[in-house]
Amino acid sequence: MRKLTIIGGGFAGLTAAITAAEAGTEVTLHEAHRTLGGRGRTADGPYRTNEGPHALYDGGPHWTWLRQRGLIGPLAALPPSEALRFRVHRDGAVRRTPPLSLFRQARRTPEQAPVDLDFRTWVTGLAGERTARVAASYSGVALFHHDPGSLSARFVQERLHRATALPPEAHYVRGGWGELIERMATRARELGVRIETSSRVDALPLGGGPVIVATALPAAARLLDDPSLAWESGRTVLFDLALRTRKGDPFVISDLDAPGWIERYTAQDPSLAPAGQQLIQAQLPIGPEASKADGVAHGERLLDLGFPGWRERTVWRRESVSQGRTGAVDRPGTTWRDRPAVDRGDGVYLVGDQVAAPGVLAEVSFTSAVEAVSLALRADHLDRLDHLDLKRA
């Protein structure tokens, strides 16, 4: 493949750029924003926030790919003393341990869960309504959805199983995900990828080889003039706080009464906030009719229970709503194979976290990006063979 154009410079776009350039392709990547990263951007200091809680799961194919290229970089290790400060909110109180029934349910493999049944009904039949509610709420850490119990049992169980794995699959990039993005961008440039930032593309380029669209799904639908490019995602309030440090604050509060997750990111990476301060990032899923204020109120209730005096200690806060930007969710009767296809025909390929590729969270972006490059290379090879056959004829 001689030339490839990539539209979008997030995790998926950079994965595609590196993969194609390693295969000898001339790659041009366009990013509309002035910086790369998409949802993987990390804010400039003093508070190094990501767009919602971010972790890198070592159980997916992207982990091996990144490690082989030296792109993971330093990881922030969680001290054992901080790991002991994991808390759950259950029956209106903050507690030290989740119910044993949650771990029993989490041990079930995704293959044991049905695709066609919703998670709530499946778990209720196995272990009762209470376990179903607790398990669904806990799985929200990897779903960003207000009602995980209504989703496909197979889809939710995979996320629950991996989010509770021991040893934990989740790892934290020191300095935030922006550090990972910067390493990927450097690798791409070293391979000869031409990266153009502040470069908005409003129409597909013609005659310049295959095109990989690595944007959010709504933007891809507009660019390709294809309203069928749609898939359900979550709606989540992102709530960021910087507090003056207080010894004994929890590392995590996972809400088992309703999906919600609060994490003190400076527990493992103090560099994310100035000395004497700690950075907290929370995701609080809300339904279609709920407001940002509803999600913020949910977060504040959890803070009241777990972070004494947090209001007086607050030195910075930020709130936003993430709409359709938290990855695909699959309803009963659907799997990742039913999402918008990677191959759109005519040399156009679609990648990102809401397309037809397996995995959890960023793994979908990675897998779709590698698949898109593979398909483009294969199509180019077949075109060359056809051309040679015509010349021989």
Side-chain angles (χ1 to χ4, degrees):
M1 187 166 58
R2 289 156 291 183
K3 290 186 177 181
L4 173 69
T5 300
I6 299 174
I7 302 171
F11 183 66
L14 287 168
T15 298
I18 293 170
T19 303
E22 287 178 343
T25 302
E26 180 184 331
V27 181
T28 300
L29 183 149
H30 298 272
E31 166 56 49
H33 198 271
R34 63 180 180 83
T35 58
L36 298 168
R39 274 164 269 170
R41 292 188 187 95
T42 298
D44 295 333
Y47 305 111
R48 304 277 291 164
T49 59
N50 297 306
E51 189 175 333
H54 275 55
L56 193 61
Y57 281 59
D58 66 17
H62 63 327
W63 178 268
T64 301
W65 187 89
L66 291 165
R67 187 175 58 185
Q68 288 172 342
R69 290 158 179 78
L71 298 175
I72 293 178
L75 295 172
L78 182 68
S81 60
E82 293 288 5
L84 293 174
R85 296 193 177 107
F86 189 102
R87 300 288 185 265
V88 297
H89 175 247
R90 180 165 55 93
D91 299 330
V94 170
R95 306 172 189 272
R96 291 180 178 271
T97 57
L100 192 58
S101 61
L102 171 63
F103 296 107
R104 293 196 188 102
Q105 177 59 36
R107 282 204 304 268
R108 302 179 194 275
T109 63
E111 292 73 24
Q112 294 176 273
V115 170
D116 295 336
L117 198 63
D118 68 86
F119 184 77
R120 182 182 298 110
T121 299
W122 176 60
V123 179
T124 298
L126 291 171
E129 186 277 333
R130 181 182 176 84
T131 299
R133 174 171 55 82
V134 166
S137 294
Y138 189 90
S139 69
V141 63
L143 285 169
F144 296 79
H145 190 273
H146 71 287
D147 187 12
S150 67
L151 305 176
S152 166
R154 174 74 60 86
F155 175 79
V156 178
Q157 185 64 25
E158 179 182 11
R159 282 136 188 84
L160 176 64
H161 184 71
R162 293 186 61 186
T164 56
L166 291 174
E169 286 192 22
H171 299 274
Y172 303 89
V173 178
R174 187 177 297 168
W177 262 57
E179 299 295 319
L180 170 64
I181 294 297
E182 183 56 38
R183 284 189 284 273
M184 294 178 73
T186 298
R187 172 66 174 165
R189 291 187 176 100
E190 290 172 348
L191 291 166
V193 175
R194 179 182 175 187
I195 296 178
E196 299 185 1
T197 55
S198 300
S199 177
R200 184 173 298 278
V201 177
D202 296 317
L204 290 179
L206 301 176
V211 177
I212 291 179
V213 179
T215 67
L217 209 52
R222 293 191 296 271
L223 180 64
L224 302 180
D225 193 23
D226 185 354
S228 72
L229 295 181
W231 197 262
E232 186 177 354
S233 184
R235 184 166 179 256
T236 302
V237 170
L238 305 179
F239 187 10
D240 304 329
L241 280 175
L243 306 181
R244 286 189 292 275
T245 299
R246 172 189 172 275
K247 188 176 180 180
D249 279 344
F251 162 50
V252 162
I253 298 179
S254 172
D255 194 348
L256 303 185
D257 289 343
W261 184 273
I262 294 179
E263 185 164 342
R264 181 165 53 89
Y265 266 62
T266 41
Q268 65 268 8
D269 188 357
S271 72
L272 299 179
Q277 297 180 22
Q278 50 196 26
L279 177 65
I280 295 168
Q281 290 205 266
Q283 58 107 339
L284 305 145
I286 55 175
E289 306 303 322
S291 67
K292 180 173 74 173
D294 294 325
V296 171
H298 180 186
E300 290 181 340
R301 288 193 296 273
L302 295 177
L303 289 165
D304 286 339
L305 292 169
F307 290 79
W310 71 269
R311 286 180 171 82
E312 294 74 22
R313 293 191 284 138
T314 298
V315 294
W316 174 83
R317 70 183 278 171
R318 182 178 61 184
E319 306 151 8
S320 63
V321 177
S322 183
Q323 174 75 44
R325 290 173 57 81
T326 56
V329 297
D330 296 340
R331 290 285 177 181
T334 64
T335 71
W336 61 265
R337 295 177 177 84
D338 300 302
R339 301 174 198 153
V342 172
D343 190 347
R344 310 309 303 174
D346 298 324
V348 177
Y349 303 91
L350 180 65
V351 304
D353 61 7
Q354 289 181 266
V355 303
V360 173
L361 298 172
E363 295 169 13
V364 180
S365 293
F366 169 82
T367 306
S368 63
V370 173
E371 175 69 7
V373 173
S374 175
L375 291 170
L377 288 168
R378 193 178 311 154
D380 181 72
H381 179 65
L382 292 174
D383 286 344
R384 288 171 186 263
L385 290 178
D386 290 342
H387 182 66
L388 286 173
D389 289 343
L390 286 172
K391 287 183 70 176
R392 291 191 187 105

